[in-house]
Amino acid sequence: MALRLATNRVAAAAAAAASRGRLIAPLQTQTRAASSLVVSSSKRPRNATAPTTSAASASSPCASFASPSPLGDHLRQRRAHNATLSKDGKVPAPPMVYISGEEMTRYASELIVDQWIRPYFDTSAWETFDLSCKSRDETDDKVLTDAVEAGARIGAIFKEPTITPSALQVKAFGLSKAFGSPNGAMRRGWNGITISRDTIHIEGIELGYKNPVLFERHAVGGEYGAGWNEVGKGTLLTTYLPADGTAPFVVDKRDLTDDHNVCVVYHNPYDNVEDLAHLFFKRCLEANVTPYIVTKKTVFKWQEGFWATMKRIFDADYKEQFVDAGLMDKCG
């Protein structure tokens, strides 16, 4: 945690200083101040007796500076600061998957990384993947597969916006085919159960409402992973073959009487709805907002299971907390 706090302070100082047109000196000063956080847990009160050699003190990077004097404090801070720097004087950035995309965000991100990050942070532990349409086409989408694998392995991902090319863009970019959305593949590969869309409140800008609004959308399965085809007249049969070897059965059968049709087949997994429910209700409690579960189950009967699971988790684990917080008073 201390290292993370120190890194955040350095990044904040770099951004602030850069906006004022002077970066180097403030960054160095802030780095030394932040580095004291790294050793804060090893500092003793002024009236404490210096310990004899032990496993804890011997393993401490500041063990040789036992004196509680101001000079000892300075040496501890300086040594801890140097320990966080690479050979070229940069702060090592932790491993991360960096996924580059398209259009203006690509250029803006390049400016941020090149001017504010790489001069001061060692990013050699990052794994970078280019998910531009051109790169996906040249690798036959292997770059997407590699990025998903790396993200699952490392567990820290930054992704720029990407393009899911339309038919017109396929021609304009000279692509071999229309590649699907990479986001669906990423969520499947990383067990991504939701898309969070929260309101952004900026000081000085009135939006017409003052309270935060949190959106969580179940984002696994559905049309993102749909199979489809254009067909003519005929019969469409959707058959389920159980993994346990029991007898298959027909999920849906329909006769197509039009000359031109598009058939779409997809499914929605329910196993992760419980995880989504816990995530959603906890976020609402933390933000002090009233939760609402929105479905169209009156029309789409298959959504009943989603709603029922969310209500069961709410009643069992969260309803009392929301009532005690007064968040159910106005929702009926």
Side-chain angles (χ1 to χ4, degrees):
M1 178 60 72
L3 284 172
R4 188 180 299 114
L5 289 171
T7 302
N8 289 345
R9 280 191 170 189
V10 173
S19 67
R20 297 192 298 269
R22 50 188 179 89
L23 185 59
I24 301 303
L27 177 64
Q28 293 171 341
T29 303
Q30 186 65 28
T31 302
R32 294 192 181 98
S35 68
S36 65
L37 293 172
V38 179
V39 298
S40 60
S41 61
S42 64
K43 288 183 179 179
R44 295 181 300 281
R46 292 289 180 181
N47 58 357
T49 302
T52 57
T53 302
S54 65
S57 61
S59 62
S60 169
C62 303
S64 60
F65 302 111
S67 170
S69 66
L71 176 59
D73 284 346
H74 171 74
L75 292 174
R76 276 194 293 272
Q77 293 180 14
R78 184 63 177 267
R79 189 168 181 177
H81 165 65
N82 291 338
T84 64
L85 300 180
S86 60
K87 291 182 179 180
D88 54 3
K90 298 181 181 180
V91 176
M96 183 180 75
V97 172
Y98 190 105
I99 297 174
S100 60
E102 301 267 13
E103 297 184 329
M104 292 307 298
T105 306
R106 170 85 286 268
Y107 301 114
S109 296
E110 281 183 350
L111 289 174
I112 293 171
V113 171
D114 291 344
Q115 295 185 19
W116 289 358
I117 296 180
R118 287 206 172 98
Y120 314 103
F121 294 88
D122 178 5
T123 61
S124 58
W126 289 6
E127 295 187 26
T128 304
F129 298 89
D130 178 8
L131 285 192
S132 64
C133 290
K134 181 180 179 181
S135 175
R136 294 181 67 187
D137 191 66
E138 291 175 347
T139 63
D140 196 24
D141 229 11
K142 185 178 183 299
V143 64
L144 174 59
T145 303
D146 293 343
V148 171
E149 183 279 326
R153 171 168 42 84
I154 294 177
I157 305 104
F158 177 87
K159 177 186 175 292
E160 299 172 5
T162 51
I163 289 178
T164 301
S166 64
L168 290 176
Q169 288 172 321
V170 169
K171 293 182 179 179
F173 297 163
L175 306 177
S176 60
K177 60 181 178 181
F179 292 91
S181 169
N183 298 335
M186 292 176 185
R187 284 192 291 273
R188 289 191 298 272
W190 302 332
N191 191 30
I193 60 176
T194 182
I195 295 177
S196 300
R197 301 289 193 192
D198 299 352
T199 53
I200 300 175
H201 294 258
I202 303 173
E203 186 176 356
I205 298 178
E206 294 293 334
L207 300 176
Y209 52 89
K210 297 184 181 299
N211 294 329
V213 181
L214 314 180
F215 294 92
E216 297 291 345
R217 180 165 67 85
H218 192 221
V220 179
E223 294 182 345
Y224 281 100
W228 65 278
N229 213 328
E230 293 188 46
V231 299
K233 293 180 179 179
T235 299
L236 179 66
L237 198 66
T238 304
T239 305
Y240 171 66
L241 285 72
D244 60 7
T246 55
F249 58 89
V250 174
V251 175
D252 181 76
K253 175 182 179 296
R254 61 188 60 219
D255 295 322
L256 310 180
T257 58
D258 292 289
D259 292 326
H260 190 195
N261 309 277
V262 59
C263 300
V264 182
V265 181
Y266 64 83
H267 79 289
N268 281 84
Y270 274 175
D271 286 352
N272 54 30
V273 175
E274 289 194 9
D275 292 335
L276 173 60
H278 287 295
L279 172 69
F280 176 63
F281 294 131
K282 287 177 180 177
R283 291 195 68 211
C284 288
L285 281 172
E286 291 172 357
N288 201 40
V289 298
T290 302
Y292 290 90
I293 307 302
V294 181
T295 67
K296 204 170 183 179
K297 63 189 183 73
T298 54
V299 177
F300 303 131
K301 302 300 182 183
W302 55 268
Q303 294 185 358
E304 180 68 34
F306 177 91
W307 185 87
T309 299
M310 298 291 285
K311 186 177 187 305
R312 173 173 56 81
I313 298 296
F314 176 79
D315 289 343
D317 299 330
Y318 298 97
K319 183 176 181 179
E320 185 175 345
Q321 299 179 64
F322 279 97
V323 171
D324 293 342
L327 295 173
M328 307 301 291
D329 295 344
K330 298 181 180 180
C331 70

